[in-house]
Amino acid sequence: MNQHTPVTIKDIARKFKCSPSTVSRALNNHPLINEDTRRNIQEYAQKVGYQRNSVSLSLLNQKSNTLGVVVPSLNQFHETAMIEGLQNILQANGYMMTICVTNESYTLEKEYVEKLMANRVEGIFLSVSQETYDSGHYQHLENILHRNIPLIFIDREFDGVPTNSIIVDDYWGAFTATEHLILRGFKRIAHLKGPNGLTVSEKRFKGYKDCLAKHQIAFDENLIITTNFKAESAIMPMHRLMSLENPPDGVFAVNDVVASAAMQVIRDLGFSIPQQVAIIGFDNSPFSAYMFPSLSTVNRFGKLIGEEAARLFLNNLNLQTKQNETIVLPPELIIRSSTLS
Amino acid sequence: MNQHTPVTIKDIARKFKCSPSTVSRALNNHPLINEDTRRNIQEYAQKVGYQRNSVSLSLLNQKSNTLGVVVPSLNQFHETAMIEGLQNILQANGYMMTICVTNESYTLEKEYVEKLMANRVEGIFLSVSQETYDSGHYQHLENILHRNIPLIFIDREFDGVPTNSIIVDDYWGAFTATEHLILRGFKRIAHLKGPNGLTVSEKRFKGYKDCLAKHQIAFDENLIITTNFKAESAIMPMHRLMSLENPPDGVFAVNDVVASAAMQVIRDLGFSIPQQVAIIGFDNSPFSAYMFPSLSTVNRFGKLIGEEAARLFLNNLNLQTKQNETIVLPPELIIRSSTLS
């Protein structure tokens, strides 16, 4: 073999008396290739110095074995749990994942989607950014479907784009958390809200308000604090809240981190948890069980969302006609010491 | 213009009497393009239905404006903080980031690096996986440099690969944490260690041991617990430790999550923190300040690592000859109530 001509897949196929696509699959660790064949072909390819050229390969429309994941942030436990769930299933099936973080920007979401498609990903898992909701633009999402690339919404879907989605019922989670406090006898319930205008904040806020209404408890605007999801943003307003003439006896926090900061303020001011003030968070993050007292919360099943989304993707690969499913997971109330007097 | 011939960059350049590369920069939101020019070209391109083709563009060796980030996991606060730091600087400079998670696998690390290069990324930020250390294989890392693609190690470097790196001195962080406990008068100090064989665990373990030796405190194997970095893995062994005839009066935990679980066991068994048992963690994760008592810890500066790595990358773009720097950040001891009696 001429040392100076690059070895091609066809050369290897001739050597093994098989088709070029078998060689390609062996080199790409396709799950359906016999283990011995794969090893023999890979060892030979390495010996003769075969170099694959992914870009030209993708122009020929070969498989990339890569999937795109587009999420608005990575700062919250929930998003990394979803990615862990996706990885658990998809890496075992030979896929690699490219993760893109939009920071809630429509422009970045659109650019990432275009770039993922240009790189020939075989599927896109996407959690819609806030700016995309606000703008109402969804052509970039429809483009994915027009190109016949599987699109699966994870956690946040875009109504009107017909595809698979797996979401958690945030409204219901908030309603259940608030109702738990009411049923335990707490009546003056504050809400530490997420940023205004963020869909996820507003859904939880509505769940809280509707639950008060159901139990004929008057909504009191003085008991609403707006946070940025971070602990620090809850400290000063929580001090103010606990200094009211008529302070709250219950707190529903938009997430566990904000709840942890509120607990510190409550403790520091000498109130007992949960006897004088009960508190419940949202997320079931890893440390919530180890707060003092341990924090009641709402499980959003991030890892399960990722695993189920991966299974939906894999199942759909084998179907002749695609099915569009929307799976809504009910959040789970987790009751710990912070609401059990 | 013929409706059926795709509009090219050259057509747009002719219309605006500028060079094709100006059009390309305008379409790619290059920071050096005048705002009006950019808007006019983008609006015209949209009107005439210009479709860019990233794959053929990358074959022509155009800029991709994309950077690769390769990390061993996303489960820990530290990794997501590094990515946040990278984003803070790089998104503002018009770059998009593709994040790849290796799960400590050498094979995945190698595949991701190849795929990123095939997709013409303009730089790679990489935190070396444990299997890569164990295997001793680093040809895939040298390949990045041979292709003249900037490589910056973040948090975990590979000795002998000459490039830029920003790391934190884990050994020193562990030494300082242990010494803080000793100087506060605690003598029988347990260590909740990370997984055996993981470089980061062993560095911290050595920092702990060397500090004991410096202060002439005998090392006692009975005071070492091995965890998997997760809270649950510390519960049972911590119970056992506190039931020893001669239980520890201080605990140095490999991270804050493990420390939070240990604190719960200590509290549940009726010991006071820090009077009877002092405890210090590692990471300065967002909730550590809000534990009860608030948790002393070691700041690893994840966000700063990301920001500095991004600056190194940007600075190097403007240099004629590349400089290789290794920046070692000293970890910061953060003293809170859990070690202050």
Side-chain angles (χ1 to χ4, degrees), chain A residues 239 263-271, chain B residues 292:
Chain A
H239 263 281
M263 281 168 84
Q264 189 180 67
V265 173
I266 296 169
R267 278 192 312 255
D268 285 355
L269 292 175
F271 294 93
Chain B
F292 181 74

Side-chain angles (χ1 to χ4, degrees), chain A residues 210-227:
Chain A
D210 286 359
C211 183
L212 294 187
K214 176 189 162 192
H215 290 273
Q216 292 159 332
I217 298 175
F219 170 71
D220 181 351
E221 210 160 305
N222 293 317
L223 296 181
I224 306 303
I225 288 177
T226 302
T227 73

Side-chain angles (χ1 to χ4, degrees), chain A residues 256 283-297 336:
Chain A
D256 292 342
D283 270 0
N284 193 30
S285 40
F287 64 90
S288 60
Y290 304 100
M291 306 299 298
F292 181 74
S294 59
L295 181 64
S296 295
T297 187
R336 301 201 182 103

Side-chain angles (χ1 to χ4, degrees), chain A residues 78-178:
Chain A
H78 184 62
E79 279 80 16
T80 54
M82 287 198 299
I83 290 169
E84 195 186 348
L86 286 169
Q87 283 183 323
N88 284 352
I89 308 292
L90 294 170
Q91 286 192 342
N93 282 272
Y95 288 100
M96 294 198 293
M97 275 186 293
T98 295
I99 301 162
C100 308
V101 184
T102 64
N103 283 342
E104 306 285 6
S105 152
Y106 160 69
T107 310
L108 277 177
E109 181 177 296
K110 187 164 169 286
E111 285 185 14
Y112 277 126
V113 163
E114 282 169 7
K115 189 160 286 282
L116 289 170
M117 292 195 296
N119 291 339
R120 301 288 191 271
V121 293
E122 294 175 35
I124 296 178
F125 299 88
L126 187 140
S127 183
V128 179
S129 82
Q130 187 62 36
E131 269 187 29
T132 302
Y133 286 132
D134 297 343
S135 72
H137 292 151
Y138 57 92
Q139 188 62 49
H140 63 301
L141 303 174
E142 291 200 321
N143 285 346
I144 302 174
L145 299 178
H146 291 160
R147 292 243 220 148
N148 269 323
I149 298 171
L151 166 67
I152 293 119
F153 288 124
I154 48 175
D155 197 45
R156 299 184 186 179
E157 60 176 347
F158 200 100
D159 273 345
V161 176
T163 192
N164 291 291
S165 48
I166 306 205
I167 56 177
V168 149
D169 189 341
D170 270 303
Y171 169 84
W172 189 240
F175 192 101
T176 312
T178 310

Side-chain angles (χ1 to χ4, degrees), chain A residues 27 29 46 51-56 58-59 63-66 74-75 80-81 83-84 87-88 91 94-103 107-108 110-112 114-115 117-120 147 230-232 235 257 260-264 267 286-287 289-292 294, chain B residues 27-29 51-56 58-59 63-66 74-75 80-81 83-84 87-88 91 94-103 107-108 110-112 114-115 117-120 147 230-232 235 257 260-264 267 286-287 289-292 294:
Chain A
L27 294 173
N29 293 309
Q46 195 169 7
Q51 285 282 341
R52 44 177 173 173
N53 182 339
S54 299
V55 175
S56 7
S58 65
L59 274 182
K63 294 228 165 197
S64 72
N65 283 323
T66 304
L74 278 181
N75 300 331
T80 54
I83 290 169
E84 195 186 348
Q87 283 183 323
N88 284 352
Q91 286 192 342
Y95 288 100
M96 294 198 293
M97 275 186 293
T98 295
I99 301 162
C100 308
V101 184
T102 64
N103 283 342
T107 310
L108 277 177
K110 187 164 169 286
E111 285 185 14
Y112 277 126
E114 282 169 7
K115 189 160 286 282
M117 292 195 296
N119 291 339
R120 301 288 191 271
R147 292 243 220 148
K230 300 201 170 169
E232 291 68 27
I235 301 281
V257 177
S260 75
M263 281 168 84
Q264 189 180 67
R267 278 192 312 255
F287 64 90
Y290 304 100
M291 306 299 298
F292 181 74
S294 59
Chain B
L27 294 174
N28 284 298
N29 293 310
Q51 284 282 342
R52 47 175 173 176
N53 182 341
S54 300
V55 175
S56 2
S58 66
L59 274 182
K63 294 227 164 197
S64 72
N65 283 323
T66 304
L74 278 181
N75 301 332
T80 55
I83 290 169
E84 196 186 347
Q87 283 183 323
N88 284 353
Q91 285 192 343
Y95 288 101
M96 295 197 293
M97 276 186 293
T98 295
I99 301 162
C100 308
V101 184
T102 64
N103 283 342
T107 310
L108 277 176
K110 189 164 168 286
E111 285 186 14
Y112 277 126
E114 283 168 7
K115 187 161 287 279
M117 292 195 296
N119 291 339
R120 302 284 190 273
R147 292 243 219 149
K230 300 202 170 168
E232 290 68 27
I235 301 281
V257 177
S260 75
M263 281 169 84
Q264 189 181 66
R267 277 192 311 256
F287 64 90
Y290 304 101
M291 306 299 299
F292 181 74
S294 59

